Amino acid sequence: DIQMTQSPSTLSASVGDRVTITCRASQSISSWLAWYQQKPGKAPKLLIYKASSLESGVPSRFSGSGSGTEFTLTISSLQPDDFATYYCQQYNSQFSFGQGTKLEIK
Amino acid sequence: QITLKESGPTLVKPTQTLTLTCTFSGFSLSTSGVGVGWIRQPPGKALEWLALIYWNDDKRYSPSLKSRLTITKDTSKNQVVLTMTNMDPVDTATYYCSHIPNSYVYYDYWGQGTLVTVSS
């Protein structure tokens, strides 16, 4: 099984900050990685697929990069609506998720 | 517009079998590349992929839960059904169904989720 490890588990930041979340795969997954945003009591929302493709309707301040085993999600300028938990998910083999990164207001 | 909605019991007893139904609209499960997946999330914990079914009836299961899961589809009713046997309190979670837009398994539309509690 491919294990997905996100870091950090919790991130404190302020509105306007640039933040980066990292996701590492236990083996190469090429670019088969998606990122989701989840708010309390809500279903996850797709942000990025194929490592760097922005889902339709998602603000351009979100971007993804990486390939192989290391990936990043970057929010260029945090907005109040961005405070949430973020998950990566690989779809190279089976379809495992990372453990999540909670983005908190500093 | 694609929508999905999960339905089923909110409370099941240990050892019982859980049956969840995902009823969807806005797409057809007979369209090439399309699929529906099930994901769960225990309270306060991470997402866990369970199973998925493709338009061609190809099915995939989480290796750790494969012996307990069955996924089926009824294309005429626009429904996908997930059964999980031998339920345990650790299976308490919100269960989501979701749309897979092509043969690459990421999820672009999600149901609202249904909380299933396993308790005697």
Side-chain angles (χ1 to χ4, degrees), chain A residues 1 32 34 36 38 41-46 49-50 55 87 89-91 94-100, chain B residues 39 41 45-49 52 54 60-64 96 104-113:
Chain A
D1 292 5
W32 305 123
Y36 301 86
Q38 188 180 33
K42 300 294 186 182
K45 172 187 175 183
L46 177 67
Y49 62 94
K50 206 177 178 184
E55 173 70 352
Y87 292 94
Q89 178 232 330
Q90 64 86 14
Y91 50 101
Q94 303 298 329
F95 314 105
S96 47
F97 290 87
Q99 83 279 16
Chain B
I39 299 100
Q41 185 172 38
K45 296 189 177 180
L47 300 164
E48 178 184 20
W49 171 68
L52 64 87
Y54 289 108
R60 308 290 172 90
Y61 296 100
S62 167
S64 62
Y96 296 99
Y104 301 107
V105 183
Y106 57 87
Y107 308 100
D108 58 352
Y109 291 90
W110 294 64
Q112 64 190 24

Side-chain angles (χ1 to χ4, degrees), chain B residues 89-118:
Chain B
V90 300
D91 296 314
T92 294
T94 296
Y95 287 75
Y96 296 99
C97 65
S98 53
H99 172 259
I100 298 165
N102 49 49
S103 295
Y104 301 107
V105 183
Y106 57 87
Y107 308 100
D108 58 352
Y109 291 90
W110 294 64
Q112 64 190 24
T114 185
L115 175 61
V116 178
T117 301
V118 184

Side-chain angles (χ1 to χ4, degrees), chain B residues 30-52:
Chain B
S30 59
T31 300
S32 179
V34 170
V36 169
W38 284 93
I39 299 100
R40 70 178 179 180
Q41 185 172 38
K45 296 189 177 180
L47 300 164
E48 178 184 20
W49 171 68
L50 300 177
L52 64 87

Side-chain angles (χ1 to χ4, degrees), chain B residues 52-94:
Chain B
L52 64 87
I53 189 165
Y54 289 108
W55 84 103
N56 59 359
D57 211 38
D58 185 14
K59 303 166 186 177
R60 308 290 172 90
Y61 296 100
S62 167
S64 62
L65 293 166
K66 184 175 183 178
S67 63
R68 299 173 54 204
L69 295 173
T70 303
I71 190 169
T72 60
K73 65 181 176 70
D74 186 330
T75 305
S76 64
K77 292 184 178 178
N78 282 353
Q79 290 183 331
V80 171
V81 175
L82 180 75
T83 61
M84 180 180 291
T85 61
N86 195 25
M87 293 292 285
D88 183 271
V90 300
D91 296 314
T92 294
T94 296

Side-chain angles (χ1 to χ4, degrees), chain A residues 5 7 12 14 19 25 38-39 44-45 47 51 55 58 62 77 81 85 89 91 94:
Chain A
T5 303
S7 60
S12 297
S14 301
V19 299
Q38 188 180 33
K39 296 182 178 179
K45 172 187 175 183
L47 301 175
E55 173 70 352
V58 174
F62 291 92
S77 178
D81 191 49
T85 300
Q89 178 232 330
Y91 50 101
Q94 303 298 329

